[in-house]
Amino acid sequence: MREAREPVLIIGAGPAGLAVAAELRRAGVESEILERGAAVGSSWRAHYDRLTLNTCRWFSKLSHEPFPKDVGVFPTRDEWVRYLESYAERHEVLVRYGVRADRIDPCDGGWRVTTPDGDRFARRVVVATGHQHTPLLPDWPGRQAFGGRLLHASEYRNAAGFAGADVLVVGAGCSAMDIAYDLITGGAARVRMAVRTPPNLWLKRMIGMPGDLILTAFFRLPVRLADRLEAILRRVFVGDLSRWGLTAPEEGNFSRTARVGAGQNPAFVSKPVIRAIRAGRIEIVAAVESLAAEGVLLADGSVLQPDAVIAATGYTTGLVPIVGHLGLLDDKGRPRVSGGPAAAPGLHFSGYVPNINNLYHEGRRAAGEIARELADDAAVPAALAPGGL
Ligand SMILES: Cc1cc2nc3c(=O)[nH]c(=O)nc-3n(C[C@H](O)[C@H](O)[C@H](O)COP(=O)(O)OP(=O)(O)OC[C@H]3O[C@@H](n4cnc5c(N)ncnc54)[C@H](O)[C@@H]3O)c2cc1C
């Protein structure tokens, strides 16, 4: 077996990987990031033009470093990318671009990372490839036969190309709402939104405050109280949208999180989107059942004939091909242990809870643990040092 020579390899130069690298450096541990893209934050560069973070500037910063003063409450996509670039520079993070990690296996004293450019061997590996990694396009019957355009939200950039078009956006999360609004303001002739499960809507801004700030405060309350307050906020600030096809979900956001675990955020939405729904400019329709040459069949039996279908239907972690054989993932392909502690000796996952706010803390925990492990390794005879599974 080949011996692990490098101390720490991090996979992915998104905010999670950068936070781990910066915190390692602060702890005096050198690391190198392998990044498949050509720059830091490459997933973000590919998102739609209108995107602004749903999390406010105070909750999106990594470590103690604030955003520049001219950045608004909700940084735009480009401001966020610039922040990541300067963060990487300030912390002198070493990134090797254009290198994709395809598989990770145990090796003598650490881990082998297989890349198209050859294998890398490291004593510690941190996987930070993003929980929204691989676009998930439902396997609707008749998908191949559909005569219109079918794309995933990850491929959508802006409304150019949809002028005068009849578009069906599938899903009711943040991206679906943003894209539907972008389309109506960008010249699409008709925009409908197919909704299966009524979303927990959460205004991006409420009572003059960022919605994520209020959300975070509510998470500290008893679940039933938080659900009750959420229902009141929804009644006051969003109002009853059932006439327009969006009923309030039966389960509150906080009960849902308590039931299914962290990783569920409400759909952050801004007031103009709510106004567009009330004005019938974004029409809510039933869930998509199947596609066919002649159109889209919905769960209520109606058939639509849109020019384009944009599936804002989420992502998977894409971790199965990389680490699926190690038995560390749950049935949804998410690491069972992440956010700091090792999932296997010397192998960590960071960034698999969908909130930038967590990334710095996760990075710090992972870095702290790795620094301690490496110090312990140095203090014991090599033969006794942890090695492999
Ligand atoms: C449209 C959209 C908007 C969002 N808005 C917000 C928001 O406002 N607030 C919030 O908290 N969260 C938001 N999120 C969630 C967001 O994905 C995460 O919070 C954040 O990006 C996670 O950072 P990350 O570093 O874990 O992942 P990413 O930012 O996805 O970074 C992963 C990096 O790993 C690289 N990579 C992937 N696979 C490999 C491989 N095999 N080998 C080498 N490199 C690899 C990628 O190229 C990428 O650079 C949003 C997500 C989407 C899709």
Short mmCIF file of all heavy atoms in Angstrom, two decimals, residues 10-18 33-37 39-44 47-48 51-56 59-60 80 84 99-102 128-133 174-175 178 204 265 268 315 318 322 350-359, ligand 1:
data_model
loop_
_atom_site.label_atom_id
_atom_site.label_comp_id
_atom_site.label_asym_id
_atom_site.label_seq_id
_atom_site.Cartn_x
_atom_site.Cartn_y
_atom_site.Cartn_z
N ILE A 10 -8.03 18.98 0.96
CA ILE A 10 -9.44 19.37 1.06
C ILE A 10 -10.01 19.26 -0.34
O ILE A 10 -9.37 19.70 -1.30
CB ILE A 10 -9.56 20.82 1.59
CG1 ILE A 10 -8.93 20.93 3.00
CG2 ILE A 10 -11.01 21.28 1.62
CD1 ILE A 10 -8.66 22.35 3.45
N ILE A 11 -11.21 18.71 -0.47
CA ILE A 11 -11.82 18.58 -1.79
C ILE A 11 -12.90 19.65 -1.91
O ILE A 11 -13.91 19.60 -1.23
CB ILE A 11 -12.47 17.18 -2.01
CG1 ILE A 11 -11.59 16.06 -1.45
CG2 ILE A 11 -12.80 16.97 -3.48
CD1 ILE A 11 -10.28 15.87 -2.13
N GLY A 12 -12.69 20.63 -2.79
CA GLY A 12 -13.71 21.65 -3.04
C GLY A 12 -13.33 23.01 -2.49
O GLY A 12 -13.03 23.15 -1.30
N ALA A 13 -13.28 24.03 -3.37
CA ALA A 13 -12.95 25.41 -2.95
C ALA A 13 -14.18 26.29 -2.96
O ALA A 13 -14.18 27.41 -3.46
CB ALA A 13 -11.85 25.99 -3.84
N GLY A 14 -15.28 25.76 -2.38
CA GLY A 14 -16.44 26.60 -2.09
C GLY A 14 -16.23 27.19 -0.69
O GLY A 14 -15.16 26.99 -0.09
N PRO A 15 -17.23 27.90 -0.17
CA PRO A 15 -17.05 28.49 1.16
C PRO A 15 -16.67 27.47 2.23
O PRO A 15 -15.86 27.77 3.10
CB PRO A 15 -18.41 29.14 1.45
CG PRO A 15 -19.33 28.74 0.35
CD PRO A 15 -18.51 28.27 -0.79
N ALA A 16 -17.22 26.25 2.15
CA ALA A 16 -16.91 25.26 3.20
C ALA A 16 -15.44 24.86 3.16
O ALA A 16 -14.76 24.88 4.19
CB ALA A 16 -17.80 24.02 3.02
N GLY A 17 -14.93 24.54 1.97
CA GLY A 17 -13.52 24.13 1.85
C GLY A 17 -12.59 25.26 2.21
O GLY A 17 -11.57 25.05 2.90
N LEU A 18 -12.93 26.48 1.79
CA LEU A 18 -12.08 27.64 2.10
C LEU A 18 -12.03 27.88 3.61
O LEU A 18 -10.97 28.19 4.17
CB LEU A 18 -12.61 28.89 1.40
CG LEU A 18 -12.53 28.88 -0.14
CD1 LEU A 18 -13.18 30.14 -0.70
CD2 LEU A 18 -11.08 28.78 -0.61
N ILE A 33 -6.14 22.55 -1.40
CA ILE A 33 -7.49 22.24 -1.88
C ILE A 33 -7.40 21.72 -3.31
O ILE A 33 -6.69 22.30 -4.14
CB ILE A 33 -8.41 23.48 -1.86
CG1 ILE A 33 -8.50 24.07 -0.44
CG2 ILE A 33 -9.78 23.15 -2.38
CD1 ILE A 33 -9.49 25.24 -0.30
N LEU A 34 -8.13 20.64 -3.59
CA LEU A 34 -8.30 20.21 -4.98
C LEU A 34 -9.67 20.73 -5.42
O LEU A 34 -10.69 20.42 -4.81
CB LEU A 34 -8.27 18.68 -5.09
CG LEU A 34 -7.04 17.97 -4.52
CD1 LEU A 34 -7.13 16.47 -4.79
CD2 LEU A 34 -5.75 18.54 -5.11
N GLU A 35 -9.69 21.52 -6.48
CA GLU A 35 -10.95 22.14 -6.95
C GLU A 35 -11.12 21.80 -8.44
O GLU A 35 -10.24 22.06 -9.24
CB GLU A 35 -10.90 23.65 -6.73
CG GLU A 35 -11.94 24.47 -7.48
CD GLU A 35 -13.39 24.06 -7.19
OE1 GLU A 35 -13.76 23.95 -6.02
OE2 GLU A 35 -14.14 23.83 -8.18
N ARG A 36 -12.27 21.22 -8.74
CA ARG A 36 -12.49 20.81 -10.14
C ARG A 36 -12.68 22.00 -11.07
O ARG A 36 -12.41 21.93 -12.27
CB ARG A 36 -13.69 19.86 -10.24
CG ARG A 36 -14.99 20.53 -9.90
CD ARG A 36 -16.17 19.60 -10.05
NE ARG A 36 -17.38 20.32 -9.66
CZ ARG A 36 -18.59 19.82 -9.66
NH1 ARG A 36 -18.78 18.58 -10.03
NH2 ARG A 36 -19.62 20.55 -9.29
N GLY A 37 -13.15 23.11 -10.53
CA GLY A 37 -13.39 24.30 -11.34
C GLY A 37 -12.12 25.11 -11.56
O GLY A 37 -11.03 24.71 -11.13
N ALA A 39 -11.81 28.31 -10.54
CA ALA A 39 -11.69 29.41 -9.58
C ALA A 39 -12.40 29.01 -8.29
O ALA A 39 -13.16 28.03 -8.28
CB ALA A 39 -12.36 30.66 -10.16
N VAL A 40 -12.18 29.77 -7.22
CA VAL A 40 -12.91 29.48 -5.98
C VAL A 40 -14.39 29.82 -6.21
O VAL A 40 -14.73 30.63 -7.07
CB VAL A 40 -12.36 30.28 -4.77
CG1 VAL A 40 -10.90 29.98 -4.52
CG2 VAL A 40 -12.58 31.79 -4.94
N GLY A 41 -15.26 29.18 -5.43
CA GLY A 41 -16.70 29.47 -5.51
C GLY A 41 -17.29 29.16 -6.87
O GLY A 41 -18.20 29.84 -7.32
N SER A 42 -16.81 28.10 -7.51
CA SER A 42 -17.27 27.90 -8.89
C SER A 42 -18.73 27.50 -8.98
O SER A 42 -19.39 27.80 -9.96
CB SER A 42 -16.37 26.94 -9.68
OG SER A 42 -16.15 25.78 -8.96
N SER A 43 -19.30 26.87 -7.94
CA SER A 43 -20.75 26.57 -8.03
C SER A 43 -21.52 27.88 -8.07
O SER A 43 -22.52 28.00 -8.79
CB SER A 43 -21.29 25.78 -6.84
OG SER A 43 -20.35 25.11 -6.12
N TRP A 44 -21.05 28.87 -7.31
CA TRP A 44 -21.78 30.13 -7.23
C TRP A 44 -21.70 30.90 -8.54
O TRP A 44 -22.67 31.56 -8.93
CB TRP A 44 -21.24 30.98 -6.09
CG TRP A 44 -21.62 30.38 -4.78
CD1 TRP A 44 -20.90 29.47 -4.06
CD2 TRP A 44 -22.85 30.57 -4.08
NE1 TRP A 44 -21.60 29.11 -2.94
CE2 TRP A 44 -22.79 29.77 -2.92
CE3 TRP A 44 -23.98 31.36 -4.30
CZ2 TRP A 44 -23.84 29.72 -1.99
CZ3 TRP A 44 -25.01 31.31 -3.37
CH2 TRP A 44 -24.93 30.50 -2.25
N HIS A 47 -24.53 30.08 -10.84
CA HIS A 47 -25.95 30.31 -10.51
C HIS A 47 -26.52 31.49 -11.30
O HIS A 47 -25.79 32.30 -11.85
CB HIS A 47 -26.12 30.57 -9.02
CG HIS A 47 -25.85 29.36 -8.16
ND1 HIS A 47 -26.07 28.07 -8.58
CD2 HIS A 47 -25.38 29.25 -6.89
CE1 HIS A 47 -25.75 27.22 -7.62
NE2 HIS A 47 -25.32 27.90 -6.60
N TYR A 48 -27.85 31.59 -11.29
CA TYR A 48 -28.54 32.60 -12.10
C TYR A 48 -28.13 34.03 -11.71
O TYR A 48 -27.75 34.31 -10.58
CB TYR A 48 -30.06 32.42 -12.04
CG TYR A 48 -30.64 32.27 -10.66
CD1 TYR A 48 -31.08 33.36 -9.93
CD2 TYR A 48 -30.78 31.00 -10.08
CE1 TYR A 48 -31.61 33.22 -8.66
CE2 TYR A 48 -31.31 30.85 -8.81
CZ TYR A 48 -31.72 31.96 -8.11
OH TYR A 48 -32.24 31.82 -6.85
N LEU A 51 -29.50 36.17 -8.64
CA LEU A 51 -29.35 35.64 -7.29
C LEU A 51 -28.74 36.64 -6.30
O LEU A 51 -27.72 37.26 -6.57
CB LEU A 51 -28.46 34.38 -7.34
CG LEU A 51 -28.31 33.62 -6.02
CD1 LEU A 51 -28.32 32.13 -6.27
CD2 LEU A 51 -27.05 33.99 -5.28
N THR A 52 -29.42 36.82 -5.19
CA THR A 52 -28.78 37.45 -4.03
C THR A 52 -28.90 36.42 -2.92
O THR A 52 -29.84 35.61 -2.91
CB THR A 52 -29.48 38.75 -3.59
OG1 THR A 52 -30.84 38.44 -3.27
CG2 THR A 52 -29.44 39.82 -4.66
N LEU A 53 -27.97 36.42 -1.99
CA LEU A 53 -28.03 35.45 -0.91
C LEU A 53 -29.34 35.60 -0.14
O LEU A 53 -29.88 36.71 -0.04
CB LEU A 53 -26.86 35.63 0.06
CG LEU A 53 -25.46 35.33 -0.47
CD1 LEU A 53 -24.44 35.42 0.67
CD2 LEU A 53 -25.39 33.97 -1.11
N ASN A 54 -29.83 34.49 0.37
CA ASN A 54 -31.01 34.55 1.25
C ASN A 54 -30.59 34.81 2.67
O ASN A 54 -31.41 35.13 3.52
CB ASN A 54 -31.75 33.22 1.19
CG ASN A 54 -32.35 33.00 -0.15
OD1 ASN A 54 -32.98 33.89 -0.70
ND2 ASN A 54 -32.15 31.82 -0.71
N THR A 55 -29.32 34.61 2.92
CA THR A 55 -28.80 34.83 4.25
C THR A 55 -28.10 36.19 4.26
O THR A 55 -27.39 36.53 3.31
CB THR A 55 -27.82 33.70 4.61
OG1 THR A 55 -27.02 33.41 3.48
CG2 THR A 55 -28.55 32.45 5.02
N CYS A 56 -28.31 36.95 5.31
CA CYS A 56 -27.82 38.34 5.34
C CYS A 56 -26.30 38.39 5.47
O CYS A 56 -25.67 37.38 5.80
CB CYS A 56 -28.49 39.11 6.46
SG CYS A 56 -28.05 38.50 8.09
N PHE A 59 -24.70 36.99 8.58
CA PHE A 59 -24.75 35.54 8.79
C PHE A 59 -24.05 34.78 7.68
O PHE A 59 -23.94 33.56 7.74
CB PHE A 59 -26.22 35.08 8.87
CG PHE A 59 -26.83 35.25 10.23
CD1 PHE A 59 -26.20 36.04 11.20
CD2 PHE A 59 -28.00 34.62 10.57
CE1 PHE A 59 -26.75 36.20 12.46
CE2 PHE A 59 -28.57 34.77 11.83
CZ PHE A 59 -27.94 35.57 12.77
N SER A 60 -23.62 35.47 6.65
CA SER A 60 -23.00 34.75 5.52
C SER A 60 -21.48 34.84 5.55
O SER A 60 -20.82 34.14 4.81
CB SER A 60 -23.50 35.32 4.19
OG SER A 60 -24.90 35.24 4.12
N TRP A 80 -20.68 38.02 -3.47
CA TRP A 80 -20.33 36.83 -2.68
C TRP A 80 -19.09 36.15 -3.28
O TRP A 80 -18.17 35.77 -2.55
CB TRP A 80 -21.55 35.92 -2.64
CG TRP A 80 -21.39 34.58 -1.98
CD1 TRP A 80 -21.73 33.38 -2.52
CD2 TRP A 80 -20.90 34.27 -0.65
NE1 TRP A 80 -21.48 32.36 -1.64
CE2 TRP A 80 -20.98 32.89 -0.48
CE3 TRP A 80 -20.41 35.06 0.39
CZ2 TRP A 80 -20.57 32.24 0.69
CZ3 TRP A 80 -19.99 34.42 1.56
CH2 TRP A 80 -20.08 33.04 1.71
N LEU A 84 -15.42 35.57 -1.54
CA LEU A 84 -14.71 34.28 -1.45
C LEU A 84 -13.30 34.41 -2.02
O LEU A 84 -12.34 33.88 -1.45
CB LEU A 84 -15.48 33.18 -2.19
CG LEU A 84 -16.85 32.82 -1.62
CD1 LEU A 84 -17.52 31.74 -2.47
CD2 LEU A 84 -16.73 32.34 -0.17
N VAL A 99 -8.75 20.14 -10.85
CA VAL A 99 -8.48 18.76 -10.39
C VAL A 99 -9.75 18.22 -9.72
O VAL A 99 -10.21 18.77 -8.72
CB VAL A 99 -7.31 18.71 -9.38
CG1 VAL A 99 -7.03 17.26 -8.99
CG2 VAL A 99 -6.07 19.37 -9.95
N ARG A 100 -10.28 17.16 -10.29
CA ARG A 100 -11.52 16.58 -9.77
C ARG A 100 -11.20 15.32 -8.96
O ARG A 100 -10.47 14.45 -9.45
CB ARG A 100 -12.42 16.22 -10.95
CG ARG A 100 -13.87 15.95 -10.59
CD ARG A 100 -14.64 15.44 -11.78
NE ARG A 100 -14.10 14.18 -12.26
CZ ARG A 100 -13.75 13.95 -13.52
NH1 ARG A 100 -13.88 14.86 -14.44
NH2 ARG A 100 -13.27 12.76 -13.87
N ALA A 101 -11.71 15.26 -7.76
CA ALA A 101 -11.55 14.04 -6.96
C ALA A 101 -12.64 13.07 -7.38
O ALA A 101 -13.82 13.39 -7.29
CB ALA A 101 -11.67 14.37 -5.48
N ASP A 102 -12.24 11.90 -7.86
CA ASP A 102 -13.23 10.94 -8.33
C ASP A 102 -13.58 9.88 -7.29
O ASP A 102 -14.66 9.32 -7.30
CB ASP A 102 -12.72 10.24 -9.60
CG ASP A 102 -12.79 11.19 -10.79
OD1 ASP A 102 -13.63 12.12 -10.76
OD2 ASP A 102 -12.00 11.02 -11.74
N ALA A 128 -15.47 18.61 0.93
CA ALA A 128 -16.31 19.82 1.02
C ALA A 128 -16.83 20.14 -0.39
O ALA A 128 -16.63 21.23 -0.91
CB ALA A 128 -15.50 20.98 1.59
N THR A 129 -17.48 19.15 -0.97
CA THR A 129 -17.92 19.28 -2.37
C THR A 129 -19.31 19.89 -2.51
O THR A 129 -19.82 20.03 -3.62
CB THR A 129 -17.89 17.90 -3.05
OG1 THR A 129 -18.56 16.97 -2.19
CG2 THR A 129 -16.47 17.42 -3.29
N GLY A 130 -19.93 20.24 -1.36
CA GLY A 130 -21.23 20.93 -1.42
C GLY A 130 -22.41 19.98 -1.33
O GLY A 130 -22.42 18.94 -1.99
N HIS A 131 -23.40 20.35 -0.52
CA HIS A 131 -24.58 19.47 -0.42
C HIS A 131 -25.51 19.65 -1.61
O HIS A 131 -26.35 18.80 -1.88
CB HIS A 131 -25.31 19.71 0.91
CG HIS A 131 -26.00 21.02 0.96
ND1 HIS A 131 -25.33 22.19 1.21
CD2 HIS A 131 -27.28 21.35 0.76
CE1 HIS A 131 -26.18 23.19 1.18
NE2 HIS A 131 -27.37 22.71 0.90
N GLN A 132 -25.35 20.77 -2.33
CA GLN A 132 -26.18 20.95 -3.53
C GLN A 132 -25.26 20.79 -4.73
O GLN A 132 -24.90 21.76 -5.38
CB GLN A 132 -26.88 22.30 -3.47
CG GLN A 132 -28.00 22.26 -2.46
CD GLN A 132 -28.68 23.60 -2.28
OE1 GLN A 132 -28.01 24.61 -2.12
NE2 GLN A 132 -29.98 23.60 -2.29
N HIS A 133 -24.87 19.59 -4.96
CA HIS A 133 -23.79 19.28 -5.89
C HIS A 133 -24.32 18.86 -7.27
O HIS A 133 -23.94 19.41 -8.29
CB HIS A 133 -22.95 18.16 -5.27
CG HIS A 133 -21.78 17.71 -6.08
ND1 HIS A 133 -21.89 16.82 -7.13
CD2 HIS A 133 -20.46 18.02 -6.00
CE1 HIS A 133 -20.71 16.62 -7.64
NE2 HIS A 133 -19.82 17.33 -7.00
N CYS A 174 -36.71 28.40 -2.85
CA CYS A 174 -36.18 29.74 -3.12
C CYS A 174 -35.87 29.93 -4.60
O CYS A 174 -36.21 30.97 -5.18
CB CYS A 174 -34.89 29.99 -2.35
SG CYS A 174 -34.90 29.46 -0.67
N SER A 175 -35.22 28.94 -5.22
CA SER A 175 -34.82 29.11 -6.62
C SER A 175 -36.05 29.19 -7.52
O SER A 175 -36.09 30.00 -8.45
CB SER A 175 -33.96 27.93 -7.09
OG SER A 175 -32.77 27.91 -6.38
N ASP A 178 -37.53 32.67 -7.18
CA ASP A 178 -36.65 33.67 -7.81
C ASP A 178 -36.75 33.60 -9.34
O ASP A 178 -36.85 34.62 -10.02
CB ASP A 178 -35.18 33.37 -7.46
CG ASP A 178 -34.74 34.09 -6.20
OD1 ASP A 178 -35.55 34.84 -5.64
OD2 ASP A 178 -33.58 33.87 -5.79
N LYS A 204 -37.89 37.21 3.18
CA LYS A 204 -36.47 37.50 3.25
C LYS A 204 -36.20 38.70 4.17
O LYS A 204 -35.14 38.81 4.78
CB LYS A 204 -36.00 37.84 1.83
CG LYS A 204 -34.63 37.36 1.51
CD LYS A 204 -34.39 37.33 0.03
CE LYS A 204 -32.92 37.49 -0.25
NZ LYS A 204 -32.56 37.26 -1.63
N ASN A 265 -34.59 24.12 5.11
CA ASN A 265 -34.83 25.54 5.30
C ASN A 265 -36.18 25.89 4.70
O ASN A 265 -36.62 25.25 3.75
CB ASN A 265 -33.75 26.37 4.59
CG ASN A 265 -32.52 26.52 5.45
OD1 ASN A 265 -32.60 26.45 6.67
ND2 ASN A 265 -31.38 26.71 4.82
N PHE A 268 -37.24 31.02 1.35
CA PHE A 268 -37.10 32.47 1.52
C PHE A 268 -37.68 33.14 0.29
O PHE A 268 -37.38 32.76 -0.84
CB PHE A 268 -35.63 32.86 1.67
CG PHE A 268 -35.06 32.49 3.00
CD1 PHE A 268 -34.28 31.37 3.16
CD2 PHE A 268 -35.31 33.30 4.10
CE1 PHE A 268 -33.75 31.03 4.39
CE2 PHE A 268 -34.78 32.98 5.34
CZ PHE A 268 -34.00 31.84 5.49
N TYR A 315 -31.20 19.17 -5.53
CA TYR A 315 -29.88 18.61 -5.82
C TYR A 315 -29.64 17.39 -4.93
O TYR A 315 -30.29 17.24 -3.90
CB TYR A 315 -28.79 19.63 -5.47
CG TYR A 315 -28.81 20.89 -6.30
CD1 TYR A 315 -29.72 21.91 -6.03
CD2 TYR A 315 -27.91 21.06 -7.35
CE1 TYR A 315 -29.74 23.07 -6.79
CE2 TYR A 315 -27.92 22.22 -8.11
CZ TYR A 315 -28.84 23.21 -7.82
OH TYR A 315 -28.85 24.37 -8.58
N GLY A 318 -24.15 14.10 -4.56
CA GLY A 318 -23.20 13.55 -5.55
C GLY A 318 -22.03 12.81 -4.90
O GLY A 318 -21.00 12.61 -5.54
N ILE A 322 -17.94 8.99 -5.02
CA ILE A 322 -16.65 9.36 -4.40
C ILE A 322 -16.39 8.55 -3.12
O ILE A 322 -15.30 8.01 -2.93
CB ILE A 322 -16.61 10.88 -4.09
CG1 ILE A 322 -16.88 11.68 -5.37
CG2 ILE A 322 -15.26 11.30 -3.51
CD1 ILE A 322 -17.01 13.18 -5.16
N SER A 350 -17.37 18.49 5.49
CA SER A 350 -17.76 19.81 5.98
C SER A 350 -18.70 20.47 4.97
O SER A 350 -18.47 20.42 3.76
CB SER A 350 -16.51 20.68 6.19
OG SER A 350 -16.82 21.77 7.01
N GLY A 351 -19.76 21.08 5.45
CA GLY A 351 -20.66 21.83 4.57
C GLY A 351 -21.88 21.06 4.12
O GLY A 351 -22.48 21.40 3.10
N TYR A 352 -22.30 20.04 4.86
CA TYR A 352 -23.44 19.26 4.40
C TYR A 352 -24.73 19.61 5.14
O TYR A 352 -25.70 18.87 5.14
CB TYR A 352 -23.10 17.76 4.42
CG TYR A 352 -22.04 17.51 3.37
CD1 TYR A 352 -20.69 17.62 3.68
CD2 TYR A 352 -22.39 17.31 2.04
CE1 TYR A 352 -19.71 17.49 2.70
CE2 TYR A 352 -21.43 17.18 1.05
CZ TYR A 352 -20.09 17.28 1.39
OH TYR A 352 -19.14 17.18 0.40
N VAL A 353 -24.72 20.77 5.80
CA VAL A 353 -25.95 21.35 6.35
C VAL A 353 -26.17 22.64 5.56
O VAL A 353 -25.26 23.45 5.44
CB VAL A 353 -25.79 21.66 7.85
CG1 VAL A 353 -26.99 22.42 8.38
CG2 VAL A 353 -25.61 20.37 8.63
N PRO A 354 -27.37 22.80 4.94
CA PRO A 354 -27.53 23.87 3.96
C PRO A 354 -27.65 25.27 4.54
O PRO A 354 -28.68 25.89 4.47
CB PRO A 354 -28.83 23.48 3.25
CG PRO A 354 -29.59 22.73 4.26
CD PRO A 354 -28.60 22.05 5.14
N ASN A 355 -26.60 25.77 5.08
CA ASN A 355 -26.64 27.12 5.61
C ASN A 355 -25.22 27.65 5.72
O ASN A 355 -24.42 27.10 6.48
CB ASN A 355 -27.30 27.09 6.99
CG ASN A 355 -27.84 28.44 7.34
OD1 ASN A 355 -27.37 29.45 6.81
ND2 ASN A 355 -28.83 28.47 8.21
N ILE A 356 -24.95 28.72 5.00
CA ILE A 356 -23.60 29.28 5.02
C ILE A 356 -23.18 29.61 6.45
O ILE A 356 -22.03 29.48 6.83
CB ILE A 356 -23.56 30.56 4.15
CG1 ILE A 356 -23.72 30.18 2.69
CG2 ILE A 356 -22.27 31.32 4.35
CD1 ILE A 356 -23.94 31.37 1.79
N ASN A 357 -24.17 30.03 7.22
CA ASN A 357 -23.93 30.40 8.61
C ASN A 357 -23.17 29.32 9.39
O ASN A 357 -22.43 29.60 10.32
CB ASN A 357 -25.31 30.66 9.23
CG ASN A 357 -25.21 31.29 10.59
OD1 ASN A 357 -24.15 31.79 10.96
ND2 ASN A 357 -26.29 31.27 11.32
N ASN A 358 -23.39 28.05 9.00
CA ASN A 358 -22.72 26.96 9.71
C ASN A 358 -21.29 26.74 9.26
O ASN A 358 -20.52 26.09 9.96
CB ASN A 358 -23.44 25.62 9.43
CG ASN A 358 -24.79 25.59 10.07
OD1 ASN A 358 -24.92 25.91 11.23
ND2 ASN A 358 -25.80 25.24 9.29
N LEU A 359 -20.95 27.22 8.06
CA LEU A 359 -19.72 26.74 7.43
C LEU A 359 -18.48 27.10 8.23
O LEU A 359 -17.56 26.31 8.35
CB LEU A 359 -19.61 27.26 6.00
CG LEU A 359 -20.75 26.80 5.07
CD1 LEU A 359 -20.52 27.31 3.66
CD2 LEU A 359 -20.88 25.30 5.08
C1 LIG B 1 -29.20 28.85 -6.08
C2 LIG B 1 -28.68 28.63 -4.68
C3 LIG B 1 -28.72 29.67 -3.77
C4 LIG B 1 -28.27 29.48 -2.47
N1 LIG B 1 -28.32 30.52 -1.60
C5 LIG B 1 -27.90 30.33 -0.33
C6 LIG B 1 -27.94 31.40 0.63
O1 LIG B 1 -28.36 32.49 0.33
N2 LIG B 1 -27.51 31.14 1.88
C7 LIG B 1 -27.06 29.90 2.26
O2 LIG B 1 -26.70 29.72 3.42
N3 LIG B 1 -27.00 28.89 1.37
C8 LIG B 1 -27.41 29.06 0.11
N4 LIG B 1 -27.36 28.03 -0.78
C9 LIG B 1 -26.86 26.76 -0.33
C10 LIG B 1 -25.37 26.67 -0.72
O3 LIG B 1 -25.19 25.61 -1.62
C11 LIG B 1 -24.48 26.42 0.45
O4 LIG B 1 -24.83 27.19 1.56
C12 LIG B 1 -23.01 26.71 0.16
O5 LIG B 1 -22.67 26.94 -1.18
C13 LIG B 1 -22.29 25.53 0.56
O6 LIG B 1 -20.92 25.78 0.33
P1 LIG B 1 -20.01 24.55 0.01
O7 LIG B 1 -18.62 25.06 -0.01
O8 LIG B 1 -20.35 23.44 0.93
O9 LIG B 1 -20.46 24.08 -1.44
P2 LIG B 1 -20.21 24.76 -2.86
O10 LIG B 1 -20.32 26.22 -2.77
O11 LIG B 1 -21.09 24.03 -3.80
O12 LIG B 1 -18.68 24.40 -3.17
C14 LIG B 1 -18.26 23.09 -3.49
C15 LIG B 1 -16.99 23.20 -4.32
O13 LIG B 1 -16.49 21.89 -4.53
C16 LIG B 1 -16.10 21.74 -5.89
N5 LIG B 1 -16.21 20.31 -6.20
C17 LIG B 1 -17.34 19.58 -6.24
N6 LIG B 1 -17.06 18.29 -6.51
C18 LIG B 1 -15.71 18.21 -6.64
C19 LIG B 1 -14.82 17.14 -6.90
N7 LIG B 1 -15.26 15.89 -7.08
N8 LIG B 1 -13.51 17.40 -6.96
C20 LIG B 1 -13.02 18.67 -6.78
N9 LIG B 1 -13.85 19.73 -6.53
C21 LIG B 1 -15.17 19.49 -6.44
C22 LIG B 1 -17.09 22.59 -6.65
O14 LIG B 1 -16.60 22.95 -7.91
C23 LIG B 1 -17.25 23.78 -5.70
O15 LIG B 1 -16.31 24.79 -5.96
C24 LIG B 1 -27.78 28.21 -2.09
C25 LIG B 1 -27.73 27.17 -3.02
C26 LIG B 1 -28.18 27.37 -4.31
C27 LIG B 1 -28.12 26.22 -5.28
#
